Amino acid sequence: MFDTWILSATNRLVWKCISHFVDKRTLKGRMIRSRRVKRRMPRAKLRDAIRHALAIFEHFDPETEALFLGSSHTVYGIAPEVFQSVRAWNAGYNSGDFKIAYYTYQAVRQQWPKRPGQAVVISDDFWMVSHQIEFTPEFYQAVLVSHFTGMPYESDFLIGVHHRYVGRKIVRYRGKGLSEQILNARGFIAGLAATAKENRPGVTEARVKGHCKRAHFQPEGLKYLKALMDLVSEDGREIVFLRFPVREDYLAALDALQDDVWAPGDSLRAGKPLLDCFRMPFPQTYWADADHFTEEGARAFSAWLEPKLQALLQTFRQQGCK
C-alpha cells in the first residue's frame, strides 16, 4: 500500500513541487524527476522489457555464436531468427548503456561455453561514452538488470520502491512463462512502428543535438566498455563494434553541426573490427523514426548484416586455430 502511494499521481505532484527547488541539471535533480515526477514505464513497454530480460538471463542459448549488446538500436534492430547460418542472441536494451552491457555479459558468460569463432557485437552509438541510463526516465532497464545480475546502482536515492515494484512484476511474468514466439525471437523485440509524434518537424534536429551534447559529457561509460572488452578478450572471444544506420534527415542534422562525435571513444575502438553501416541508405518505409528501424526494417537489415558477420566469425575461427 505504501509503495502504491509513492507511485501515485498525488505523490508525483508533491515531488514536482519539490523539484522546482532542485537544479534539474544536477544528478539529484535528474533522479527526482525520473524516479518520482515522471510516470512509471508504460505497462506494455515494461512487460516487453521483463520478458526480454527473462529470455536473456533464464533462456539463453549456449550454442550462441554472436551475442549482440547495446542500446535500443540493437534491441529493435537485430532479429536473430532471420539469420540462416549464424546463431545469434539479442541482449540489447532500450536506452542501454555500457554498464548494463558489461553486467549482462558478466552474467551470460556463465551460461555460454567457450568455443572458437564467438563474438560480442556492441552497438557503436557515439553518445554511449557518457550515457547513464540510471539517471534517465528509462532507469527501469537498469532496475531489471540489477535484479538479474546484482548490478549495483550508482545511487540508491529514491530507487527502493521501483526495485520492489519491478521485482514483483518479474515474479508475475516468470510465473506465466514465455511463449514460443518470444523464445524464438532470441531477444528481438518486434512490433516497433512509425509514430506521428516521433516524426514531427523539428524532432530529428532536437534529437541529434541531444545526442551530440551527450557525446561530450564526462565519459563515465568508457570504464565499463573497457571492462567489457577485457572480459571478452579473457574469454577468448572477439569484440565487434556495430555502427547502426540512421535516416537521411538524422545524417543531415548531424553533418550541419560539424561535430566530431566519434572522437571520445576512438581510443578504445582503435584496432577492433567495426561494421560501419552509419550512412547506409534504407527505404523510408523501414524507419520508425530517424534512428530506429521498424520491424520490417530490422529484419531486412539483419538479413543484410548476416554474411558480413559470418565472414568475421570465420576469420576469428581461423585465427583461433593458428
Side-chain angles (χ1 to χ4, degrees):
M1 182 63 69
F2 183 62
D3 286 357
T4 302
W5 153 247
I6 291 177
L7 296 173
S8 70
T10 304
N11 190 265
R12 290 202 308 272
L13 181 60
V14 171
W15 278 99
K16 188 173 183 179
C17 294
I18 295 172
S19 70
H20 289 299
F21 299 96
V22 182
D23 187 346
K24 67 179 181 181
R25 294 169 295 183
T26 64
L27 281 183
K28 183 161 287 189
R30 291 166 63 188
M31 286 187 283
I32 288 174
R33 283 164 176 78
S34 62
R35 299 178 183 183
R36 284 295 183 271
V37 177
K38 298 287 185 180
R39 291 181 180 274
R40 284 176 288 178
M41 185 179 289
R43 184 176 301 173
K45 198 170 182 180
L46 181 58
R47 177 202 62 204
D48 289 346
I50 291 174
R51 288 173 174 173
H52 175 65
L54 284 167
I56 294 170
F57 296 109
E58 299 185 1
H59 298 273
F60 181 75
D61 177 11
E63 299 298 319
T64 294
E65 297 171 288
L67 173 66
F68 285 83
L69 299 171
S71 68
S72 55
H73 294 153
T74 294
V75 73
Y76 295 123
I78 297 296
E81 61 185 310
V82 170
F83 292 170
Q84 298 296 309
S85 303
V86 177
R87 292 180 75 89
W89 195 276
N90 183 333
Y93 298 89
N94 192 26
S95 200
D97 60 18
F98 288 136
K99 181 180 179 181
I100 282 182
Y102 168 70
Y103 277 96
T104 295
Y105 180 71
Q106 195 177 57
V108 166
R109 68 194 285 255
Q110 307 302 324
Q111 310 172 54
W112 192 11
K114 301 171 187 175
R115 298 186 181 91
Q118 296 173 329
V120 174
V121 186
I122 183 92
S123 60
D124 188 25
D125 302 305
F126 59 79
W127 42 265
M128 278 182 68
V129 295
S130 58
H131 179 56
Q132 294 177 285
I133 188 175
E134 186 180 320
F135 304 121
T136 74
E138 299 287 350
F139 71 93
Y140 277 95
Q141 303 286 359
V143 176
L144 266 176
V145 175
S146 179
H147 270 281
F148 285 100
T149 71
M151 181 184 77
Y153 297 113
E154 297 295 324
S155 173
D156 293 329
F157 181 62
L158 302 180
I159 200 70
V161 63
H162 301 286
H163 193 90
R164 294 189 294 272
Y165 175 77
V166 170
R168 291 194 296 270
K169 293 292 185 181
I170 290 172
V171 171
R172 177 185 175 189
Y173 285 113
R174 180 187 286 125
K176 290 184 174 182
L178 299 181
S179 68
E180 286 299 315
Q181 181 181 6
I182 292 173
L183 294 175
N184 290 338
R186 305 173 68 81
F188 174 55
I189 296 183
L192 192 65
T195 63
K197 179 181 177 181
E198 294 298 326
N199 290 284
R200 292 174 298 173
V203 169
T204 297
E205 290 76 10
R207 184 172 182 80
V208 171
K209 287 181 180 178
H211 283 172
C212 290
K213 182 179 180 181
R214 204 182 316 163
H216 298 292
F217 288 169
Q218 188 70 23
E220 298 290 347
L222 289 184
K223 61 185 177 184
Y224 291 108
L225 175 59
K226 177 64 165 58
L228 170 65
M229 294 171 69
D230 288 346
L231 206 55
V232 170
S233 178
E234 180 183 320
D235 290 341
R237 297 176 176 127
E238 298 289 341
I239 192 92
V240 176
F241 289 92
L242 173 57
R243 200 167 287 176
F244 279 85
V246 293
R247 205 167 60 187
E248 291 180 359
D249 53 334
Y250 190 106
L251 289 174
L254 179 62
D255 291 343
L257 294 175
Q258 298 183 332
D259 186 1
D260 185 6
V261 292
W262 305 105
D266 279 345
S267 60
L268 287 181
R269 195 185 302 111
K272 300 298 180 182
L274 169 64
L275 293 169
D276 189 354
C277 311
F278 192 62
R279 295 181 179 273
M280 182 180 174
F282 273 91
Q284 289 294 318
T285 55
Y286 283 3
W287 295 104
D289 56 38
D291 62 317
H292 292 95
F293 285 126
T294 60
E295 180 178 344
E296 180 186 12
R299 294 183 184 279
F301 176 67
S302 298
W304 176 89
L305 181 68
E306 186 190 14
K308 281 74 178 173
L309 179 60
Q310 186 178 21
L312 273 178
L313 295 180
Q314 182 59 32
T315 299
F316 299 154
R317 291 189 193 97
Q318 292 171 353
Q319 292 173 343
C321 293
K322 292 181 180 179

